[in-house]
Every structure is written in C-alpha cells, then in structure tokens.
Amino acid sequence: PAITRLVLAMMYRCNRTKPLVWNTYQCYRKGAYNKVIEDLALAQQLGFCFGIKIVRGAYMEYERAVARQQGYEDPIHPTYDDTSAMYHRVLDRMLQLVRDSQGDRVNVIVASHSEDTIQYAVRRMKELRIQKDDGRVC
C-alpha cells in the first residue's frame, strides 16, 4: 500500500497530460479490481492521467506467508483460473475506459506470458474498435 500511495502521488505530480508514471496491479490479489477502480476514481477526481500495467503477479508465496504470519485472510486467488478471471475483468474495464477516454487520459500495458490472455486482449480490442496501433494499449 505504501508504494501505491507514493506512485499515485507521483502520478498526480507528473501525469498532467499523459501517463509518465505507471502503477502495476497484481491480479492474483482478490482485491485487484476494486483497487484499480478506487485508484482510477482518485485520478479522475484529481484530474491526472492514469497509466496501468496489469500483471498476474510474482509474489504469491511471499504474500501468503505474510498473511499466515500476521493472521489475516489469504489475499491471493486460490487458482490460476481465478487469477485469469480477475486479469480479464481488470483488462475489460481498462479497455472500455481507453475506448471512451479522450487523448491519453487512460493507458494500459497488457503484461502477460499467457497466449490465451494476449489473444483475449486482441479480440476485446477489435470488439471495442481500438486500433492495434492506437498507442494507449501496449
């Protein structure tokens, strides 16, 4: 959470006309979608551009261990399929916002090693009529 707060503060300072500072959202976390929506609302409220990198995640074992050690609920999706569903949910929302936004208000990096997810992203971009060379999705 501390890093996210710092990144949002830097977005506020630097992302006035286009995203220069981006935040990474780990979709293995159960609360990823809600966190994206919360941070996006802050960007809209304060008037800064939102750059998001969507990943499945890399710290699952560490976060599970911390949760056990500190006695709170495991924040990680129990299955790969659940993580993929979250990834696609976040991706869908961000692509809709790219389609509906003016200029560089919202940009997204689709970071995935999954061929299925990349195909899904390409298909959704076509359905939403986002050109592959649009520049706001990479």
Side-chain angles (χ1 to χ4, degrees):
I3 292 173
T4 297
R5 297 287 179 244
L6 178 61
V7 171
L8 289 170
M10 292 302 298
M11 283 181 169
Y12 176 72
R13 182 175 181 156
C14 301
N15 292 5
R16 304 319 280 173
T17 60
K18 65 180 180 179
L20 297 172
V21 177
W22 298 61
N23 201 7
T24 300
Y25 292 85
Q26 311 271 349
C27 290
Y28 65 62
R29 294 186 58 85
K30 295 174 185 174
Y33 181 83
N34 291 340
K35 186 65 184 144
V36 168
I37 297 305
E38 177 184 310
D39 293 352
L40 182 62
L42 181 66
Q44 292 170 335
Q45 177 186 356
L46 297 178
F48 60 87
C49 299
F50 193 68
I52 177 175
K53 178 180 169 186
I54 308 169
V55 301
R56 276 192 171 70
Y59 308 104
M60 293 171 64
E61 294 309 314
Y62 171 77
E63 291 200 42
R64 282 193 167 122
V66 169
R68 276 191 305 273
Q69 182 183 39
Q70 295 184 3
Y72 60 83
E73 181 183 341
D74 183 353
I76 308 304
H77 284 293
T79 69
Y80 181 84
D81 288 343
D82 291 337
T83 298
S84 291
M86 176 64 76
Y87 191 104
H88 292 174
R89 183 177 182 205
V90 171
L91 176 60
D92 279 338
R93 183 67 186 126
M94 296 315 301
L95 290 176
Q96 291 166 359
L97 290 168
V98 165
R99 177 199 61 198
D100 297 341
S101 69
Q102 299 294 322
D104 281 326
R105 301 307 301 170
V106 176
N107 284 212
V108 60
I109 295 173
V110 181
S112 179
H113 298 286
S114 166
E115 185 176 340
D116 290 339
T117 292
I118 298 303
Q119 289 175 353
Y120 180 84
V122 169
R123 184 174 65 251
R124 290 296 293 139
M125 288 175 68
K126 285 179 184 176
E127 292 168 0
L128 295 168
R129 294 185 171 83
I130 300 171
Q131 299 299 314
K132 64 181 174 183
D133 61 352
D134 180 280
R136 296 176 294 168
V137 179
C138 56

